[in-house]
Amino acid sequence: MTTKARQATIKRVTKETQIEISLNLDEQTGIEIDTGIGFLNHMLNLFAKHGRFGLVVKCHGDLDVDPHHTTEDTGIVLGECFKQALGEKVGIERYGTEFVPMDETLGQVSVDLSGRSYLVFNAELTNPRLGGLDTETVEDFFQAVAFAAEMNLHARILYGRNTHHKVESLFKAFGRAMRAAVTINPEIVGVNSTKGVI
Ligand SMILES: [Mn+2]
């Protein structure tokens, strides 16, 4: 990259959550995550680390209700940051597929930064709660990211036993798949589509 780093900072305030996220696609400007939910912090930390992103997430949500608003709204703002930071998507690889093992578990995430929103989520998360996070909101998080970023996101667990391992393998695979998809390839002329727009 010779031009300036692709980045976005977005603030979103509702009666349920106040969120500010800064995302840097090109420089590892540091990772600082505070959502108020320990397990979600853990997941976003390793997402950014393995995606090699700069990521600052500050969220104050209505955790006295339950973790759902905070988890989903954090996904929305993270997705919006990707969409804004990517801009016209000139020269990006667009696709990313990564398999990440974690002990007995194997997770896969495939993404297409297509401009179209779709989530396919195929994971059986047997433990209903991980720390302060309801595991059913993992799917809600990915749904929110996929729709706000306008991308196809397929996440699945091929096999495994431990729910913590399953969710962690998905977030690591998501980070690595996004890194692959946002990477600028000098061989790509314009945008990576025969339509000319993504
Ligand atoms: Mn862990």
Side-chain angles (χ1 to χ4, degrees):
M1 280 290 288
T2 50
T3 51
K4 67 181 167 75
R6 296 168 295 170
Q7 58 184 310
T9 296
I10 295 178
K11 200 182 227 178
R12 181 180 190 270
V13 176
T14 72
K15 286 179 181 169
E16 296 170 345
T17 58
Q18 296 98 52
I19 300 176
E20 184 170 339
I21 297 183
S22 294
L23 172 70
N24 192 318
L25 303 183
D26 296 312
E27 293 167 353
Q28 295 183 57
T29 44
I31 301 170
E32 203 185 313
I33 314 286
D34 183 10
T35 65
I37 302 173
F39 192 79
L40 186 58
N41 294 346
H42 181 36
M43 292 303 106
L44 292 174
N45 244 301
L46 50 84
F47 162 76
K49 177 70 181 172
H50 292 280
R52 303 191 293 281
F53 297 116
L55 183 64
V56 177
V57 176
K58 289 176 190 150
C59 174
H60 182 76
D62 57 356
L63 296 176
D64 56 315
V65 176
D66 86 349
H68 182 264
H69 299 146
T70 292
T71 308
E72 187 171 49
D73 293 359
T74 298
I76 290 171
V77 181
L78 181 62
E80 287 174 344
C81 282
F82 271 105
K83 181 176 154 59
Q84 188 174 309
L86 281 164
E88 300 300 311
K89 303 179 186 168
V90 174
I92 66 165
E93 286 283 359
R94 172 181 167 183
Y95 296 101
T97 287
E98 292 284 341
F99 292 85
V100 169
M102 186 161 181
D103 295 345
E104 85 297 341
T105 291
L106 184 65
Q108 179 206 339
V109 170
S110 295
V111 298
D112 176 9
L113 303 177
S114 59
R116 299 184 314 275
S117 303
Y118 209 98
L119 174 73
V120 176
F121 186 85
N122 194 347
E124 201 179 322
L125 304 175
T126 44
N127 183 349
R129 197 153 171 110
L130 293 165
L133 188 77
D134 293 326
T135 53
E136 68 173 7
T137 62
V138 172
E139 181 171 353
D140 300 323
F141 175 86
F142 284 121
Q143 169 89 1
V145 173
F147 275 64
E150 296 178 356
M151 64 192 235
N152 292 174
L153 200 173
H154 294 219
R156 67 171 174 147
I157 294 297
L158 285 78
Y159 47 80
R161 177 192 58 81
N162 180 285
T163 306
H164 186 125
H165 291 171
K166 288 178 181 176
V167 177
E168 189 160 329
S169 75
L170 288 182
F171 272 86
K172 285 176 175 168
F174 181 44
R176 290 179 55 82
M178 290 303 282
R179 167 52 51 201
V182 306
T183 295
I184 290 177
N185 180 341
E187 292 178 2
I188 294 169
V189 178
V191 296
N192 202 5
S193 166
T194 52
K195 254 191 323 202
V197 174
I198 49 177

